[in-house]
Amino acid sequence: QTTLIIPVDLNALLYNLEKTIAQAYAIQDETAAAETYNAKATARAEAIQQYCWDEESGFYRDYNILTQAFTPVLSMAAAYPLFFKIASQEQAERIAQILEADFLRPGGFTSTLEETGQQWDAPNGWAPLQWMAYQGLKNYGLDSLANTARDRWLNNNEIVYQQANKMVEKYNVDDPAASAGGGEYPLQDGFGWSNGVAKRFLVEKAGE
C-alpha cells in the first residue's frame, strides 16, 4: 500500500528540502526561484496539516488516500513536524502528552506502539528517532520531556555497552538489559547514528 499512503515523516523531510533549496537560490540572488521553492514548502506544510494532523487524537499520522482515513499505527514519525517547526505550539504540546504517556519507556522512545516482531516496531528504539524527538521537543520549549528521554536513551546505551563492549544499531527500550531484534537480519554492531546521537546527547547534557 506504499503508493496509497501520505507519510508525515517523508513530507516533513521534503518540506525541509524545499526550504533548503529556496535558501540556496536566495544566496545566489535568484529571487524568483527562491520564491518558487518557498511557496512549495508553504504548500507542503499546509498539506501536512490538512491531511496528516489528527485533531481527535492530537497526533500526526500517515493518511491513506484510498480509504481517505488515517492509517491505524501511531509512530514516532509524529515528531518530524516538531523537528522542522511545522507544528503549532498547541499541536506540539498535545503530541508531547502522547509521547510521554505512551511512547516513553525505560530506555527511551519506542518506535511504534505495535509489537509485530519487526525491527521498526516496539520494543525497539532507534537513535535517529530519539534525536528527532529530542530536538523537536526542544524547539517548543518542552525541555523536561526531551531531557528525560535523552537521559534514558544514554543510560540504555551505557547498559548495553557495559554488557557487550560495543554500540549497536538499535536498542530495546522496554528492557535495556535485553537485546533489540526483529526484522530480516541480526542486530548489527556499531553504527554511525547510534554513535553520533550518543555523542551529541552527551554534549547537550554537559551544556545544561
Side-chain angles (χ1 to χ4, degrees):
Q1 296 182 348
T2 303
T3 58
L4 300 177
I5 304 299
I6 299 174
V8 62
D9 50 357
L10 174 59
N11 278 281
L13 289 165
L14 290 172
Y15 163 85
N16 183 63
L17 177 60
E18 289 161 344
K19 294 290 288 185
T20 302
I21 293 172
Q23 291 169 2
Y25 275 125
I27 291 170
Q28 299 177 76
D29 294 322
E30 297 188 37
T31 305
E35 290 177 350
T36 296
Y37 276 91
N38 274 322
K40 289 178 182 291
T42 297
R44 190 177 300 277
E46 291 173 351
I48 289 171
Q49 297 286 35
Q50 178 179 351
Y51 292 103
C52 296
W53 173 252
D54 180 10
E55 179 64 25
E56 183 177 348
S57 67
F59 213 65
Y60 285 105
R61 302 172 65 178
D62 293 348
Y63 186 82
N64 188 312
I65 60 176
L66 181 62
T67 63
Q68 297 186 359
F70 296 110
T71 61
V73 177
L74 299 183
S75 79
M76 288 300 295
Y80 279 65
L82 278 64
F83 185 87
F84 293 114
K85 302 179 182 179
I86 297 170
S88 68
Q89 184 67 34
E90 179 185 359
Q91 287 172 321
E93 290 174 0
R94 293 184 69 186
I95 290 166
Q97 290 177 357
I98 296 174
L99 292 180
E100 184 170 21
D102 299 330
F103 284 81
L104 184 61
R105 306 293 171 84
F109 288 119
T110 183
S111 298
T112 74
L113 305 180
E114 311 294 316
E115 294 194 24
T116 63
Q118 295 301 313
Q119 63 176 356
W120 287 105
D121 287 324
N124 290 336
W126 295 78
L129 295 176
Q130 310 300 314
W131 173 253
M132 300 288 285
Y134 172 83
Q135 187 59 60
L137 292 165
K138 287 279 187 176
N139 287 341
Y140 293 86
L142 302 168
D143 292 5
S144 178
L145 176 58
N147 293 342
T148 296
R150 176 201 66 200
D151 293 347
R152 291 188 185 187
W153 180 256
L154 282 173
N155 184 61
N156 195 339
N157 293 168
E158 183 175 352
I159 289 172
V160 172
Y161 192 85
Q162 291 297 328
Q163 290 178 337
N165 294 315
K166 61 186 177 183
M167 300 289 285
V168 293
E169 66 163 342
K170 56 182 177 286
Y171 290 80
N172 186 319
V173 295
D174 282 352
D175 181 4
S179 177
E184 300 174 355
Y185 57 85
L187 181 66
Q188 299 295 296
D189 295 349
F191 238 70
W193 58 36
S194 297
N195 302 342
V197 169
K199 185 175 181 180
R200 181 59 183 269
F201 274 170
L202 289 170
V203 171
E204 294 277 323
K205 188 172 183 177
E208 289 182 348

